[in-house]
Amino acid sequence: MKLFLDSADPKEIAALVATGLIDGVTTNPSLAAKTSMPLFDALRQICEMVPGSVSAEVTALTAKEMIAEGEKLAKIASNITIKVPLTWDGLMACKHLSGAGHTVNVTLCFSPNQALLAAKAGATYISPFIGRLDDAGHDGMDLIREIRLVYDNYSFSTEILAASVRHATHVRACAMAGADIATLPPALFRSLIQHPLTDKGLAAFMEDWKRSGQSIL
Ligand code: G3P
């Protein structure tokens, strides 16, 4: 499973890109509004440091304006993915932009039928929001499993990009359900490595090695 960072903050992203484990980035208008930097500057910096897909979301509501905004965003760098909302206009924009050779991420997906429509519109990525479904009393992971089944039934190449991922259990469940990608808030990405038995085990190894009086180098 590929791991993306869900952030529009170039500094925060740079620190984690250094691990070599970040496959891409997703941004949205709320994340962009939280960053002090102008959107285009932030996206330019992020695209330079991340080799993979960087989702940049349109803010227009009509297909015609989404296409214009998407084309402008795509000029920032070759790894920009244009992100559109799951509305009829968003799907029309997706069809047009993907037909013109752009990569497109269809966001705010909350049902398998919406995911089916996005795949038919040529989406490169579909973004189901699992945490927000949990918030509303559903099981967000059911959506990932159902989309996986639908896409596999018809060999759609649209990748499932699990979004609104809130905790480590979500990440594990996404990987087990066959999501292609999970996009994680930076703090969640950092937390994935933590295990007290790793720390305890390493401390014991170091202590025993020190007692042996040897060195490798
Ligand atoms: O990737 C979508 C994400 O930013 C939304 O997350 O936690 O606001 O539902 P959340």
Side-chain angles (χ1 to χ4, degrees):
M1 183 169 75
K2 287 177 265 188
L3 294 177
F4 285 13
L5 285 179
D6 199 27
S7 168
D9 180 342
K11 263 202 205 128
E12 196 172 46
I13 293 166
L16 295 176
V17 163
T19 63
L21 302 178
I22 302 301
D23 301 299
V25 167
T26 52
T27 68
N28 63 37
S30 304
L31 292 170
K34 271 202 249 167
T35 326
S36 45
M37 198 179 286
L39 176 68
F40 277 66
D41 293 344
L43 288 170
R44 213 167 280 118
Q45 287 190 20
I46 296 167
C47 286
E48 268 172 29
M49 65 177 106
V50 177
S53 161
V54 176
S55 283
E57 188 161 342
V58 301
T59 54
L61 294 175
T62 66
K64 193 174 166 206
E65 289 170 306
M66 286 183 202
I67 291 166
E69 286 188 358
E71 282 169 347
K72 185 170 175 189
L73 289 165
K75 287 200 178 95
I76 295 173
S78 58
N79 53 336
I80 284 279
T81 289
I82 304 163
K83 199 172 180 188
V84 300
L86 218 157
T87 59
W88 289 119
D89 281 86
L91 293 178
M92 287 189 281
C94 175
K95 179 108 188 159
H96 177 94
L97 291 164
S98 60
H102 295 290
T103 55
V104 183
N105 177 358
V106 178
T107 190
L108 290 167
C109 172
F110 292 94
S111 80
N113 286 338
Q114 289 181 323
L116 175 64
L117 294 175
K120 288 180 71 68
T124 318
Y125 306 105
I126 183 70
S127 290
F129 274 39
I130 57 179
R132 292 191 193 183
L133 274 172
D134 289 354
D135 292 345
H138 303 278
D139 182 351
M141 289 315 305
D142 283 346
L143 179 57
I144 302 291
R145 284 187 280 271
E146 287 172 21
I147 299 174
R148 181 74 283 152
L149 186 62
V150 171
Y151 282 6
D152 289 351
N153 279 347
Y154 300 100
S155 302
F156 282 120
S157 60
T158 303
E159 292 189 59
I160 303 173
L161 196 174
S164 187
V165 176
R166 303 268 179 79
H167 45 73
T169 308
H170 272 157
V171 180
R172 180 176 62 176
C174 281
M176 289 172 68
D180 298 289
I181 306 155
T183 187
L184 314 184
L188 174 55
F189 177 82
R190 268 187 245 105
S191 78
L192 293 184
I193 201 165
Q194 287 164 11
H195 200 291
L197 289 178
T198 303
D199 300 339
K200 195 178 162 199
L202 184 60
F205 286 157
M206 292 304 101
E207 187 59 31
D208 293 344
W209 182 242
K210 198 172 157 195
R211 257 202 314 273
S212 82
Q214 304 178 66
S215 79
I216 292 177
L217 290 178

